[in-house]
């Protein structure tokens, strides 16, 4: 358990425990491609981040072992929904995904904007939506869904994950990468002279999700848990441990 442990919550009911950890362990899935969830330790290869801390603490509350389920990208996590590979997940919540998942309250949010390379004439979000502009985005990500609905003239270039989108920017296969500000900040050092736009096209809100219509009692417990760890400052501490910048804890 993390050293900065929040105050103890009420014990979960047997039904909540059964819904959240039907195999006797909490299998929490997350995309490894995004620093919103986890990062990999350069020396050891171990994953760390808010999703790991959150899963560890929630499993402790349930009295079961924690089993992280790392998915290469969000599209892989979505494809595995309902297959029995995971019980709960942490992802960005948005309109299209509400057809597949039931959402908790948000526990983290970050502006979604663009990273543009040195010399780009794109200075604001509106500048990117011009004919001939190629915007790189992770396929089936929340940002892909949002921009598909809202972009009028630019072309979306879809990649299997955000890392591939950054590679597309490096090879000049796209002119900008769309992602949460925190994710862009983590990658910006690899692109000398690049800029992250000051404004944004959306706000990415991250929560805990379960397959739709299956775990109402368990999700109610997750919401009570999240209310507590947000109010106590524990989520901020988890973000600090993960060296997160450009993200914050929502107060609603």
């Amino acid at each position: 358990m993390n050293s900065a442990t929040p105050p103890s919550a009420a014990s979960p009911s047997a039904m909540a425990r059964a819904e959240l950890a039907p195999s006797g362990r909490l299998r929490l899935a997350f995309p490894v491609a995004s620093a919103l969830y986890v990062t990999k330790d350069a020396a050891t290869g171990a994953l760390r981040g808010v999703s790991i801390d959150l899963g560890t603490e929630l499993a402790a509350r349930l009295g079961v072992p924690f089993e992280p389920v790392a998915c290469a990208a969000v599209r892989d996590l979505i494809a595995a929904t309902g297959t029995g590979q995971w019980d709960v997940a942490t992802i960005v919540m948005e309109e299209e995904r509400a057809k597949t998942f039931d959402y908790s309250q948000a526990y983290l949010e970050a502006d979604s904007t663009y990273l543009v390379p040195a010399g780009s004439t794109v200075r604001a979000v509106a500048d990117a939506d011009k004919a001939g502009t190629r915007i790189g985005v992770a396929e089936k990500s929340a940002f892909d869904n949002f921009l598909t609905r809202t972009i009028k003239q630019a072309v979306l270039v879809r990649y299997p994950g955000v890392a591939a989108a950054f590679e597309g920017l490096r090879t000049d296969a796209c002119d900008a990468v769309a992602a949460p500000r925190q994710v862009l900040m983590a990658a910006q050092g690899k692109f000398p002279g690049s800029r992250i736009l000051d404004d944004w096209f959306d706000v990415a809100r991250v929560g805990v999700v379960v397959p739709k219509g299956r775990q109402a009692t368990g999700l109610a417990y997750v919401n009570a848990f999240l209310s507590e760890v947000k109010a106590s400052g524990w989520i901020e501490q988890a973000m600090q441990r993960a060296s997160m910048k450009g993200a914050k804890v929502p107060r609603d």
Side-chain angles (χ1 to χ4, degrees):
M1 190 179 298
N2 298 309
S3 58
T5 303
S8 296
S11 296
S13 67
M15 178 64 76
R17 185 179 291 107
E19 288 184 356
L20 296 172
S23 65
R25 59 194 186 279
L26 179 69
R27 299 174 300 175
L28 184 143
F30 48 82
V32 296
S34 174
L36 274 179
Y37 311 104
V38 294
T39 57
K40 184 177 290 188
D41 186 281
T44 66
L47 294 175
R48 65 185 186 92
V50 177
S51 289
I52 297 291
D53 286 1
L54 196 69
T56 301
E57 184 59 36
L58 181 58
R61 301 292 187 95
L62 295 171
V64 298
F66 171 51
E67 180 180 319
V69 180
C71 300
V74 71
R75 67 175 188 172
D76 302 300
L77 187 157
I78 293 171
T81 304
T83 65
Q85 297 180 45
W86 56 265
D87 305 310
V88 300
T90 53
I91 61 170
V92 172
M93 306 179 295
E94 58 88 42
E95 179 181 333
E96 185 67 23
R97 292 177 182 170
K99 301 173 184 176
T100 304
F101 304 111
D102 286 329
Y103 296 148
S104 74
Q105 63 180 281
Y107 66 83
L108 183 155
E109 65 182 19
D111 298 339
S112 297
T113 188
Y114 299 123
L115 174 71
V116 296
S120 173
T121 59
V122 174
R123 298 288 172 179
V125 164
D127 297 337
D129 193 7
K130 300 290 176 61
T133 302
R134 303 161 299 169
I135 300 172
V137 64
E139 184 181 21
K140 294 187 177 179
S141 66
F143 328 108
D144 181 6
N145 292 341
F146 181 86
L147 293 172
T148 295
R149 295 192 300 267
T150 58
I151 286 292
K152 303 302 182 184
Q153 299 183 70
V155 174
L156 294 181
V157 183
R158 295 177 174 86
Y159 293 92
V162 70
F166 286 129
E167 179 63 15
L169 188 68
R170 188 188 68 79
T171 61
D172 198 32
C174 62
D175 305 303
V177 172
R181 189 176 302 277
Q182 195 274 335
V183 174
L184 300 177
M185 291 174 70
Q188 187 178 17
K190 299 177 182 178
F191 300 92
S194 63
R195 290 178 289 105
I196 298 171
L197 304 189
D198 291 334
D199 60 345
W200 57 91
F201 58 80
D202 194 22
V203 176
R205 291 169 61 84
V206 181
V208 175
V209 303
V210 298
K212 195 164 189 67
R214 298 192 187 182
Q215 295 160 261
T217 302
L219 191 60
Y221 179 78
V222 169
N223 270 318
F225 165 73
L226 290 176
S227 291
E228 186 178 293
V229 296
K230 287 165 63 177
S232 70
W234 185 88
I235 292 289
E236 281 103 335
Q237 293 169 26
M239 290 167 61
Q240 290 169 9
R241 289 192 293 273
S243 300
M244 273 189 135
K245 298 178 181 179
K248 62 182 181 180
V249 178
R251 295 304 176 189
D252 58 344

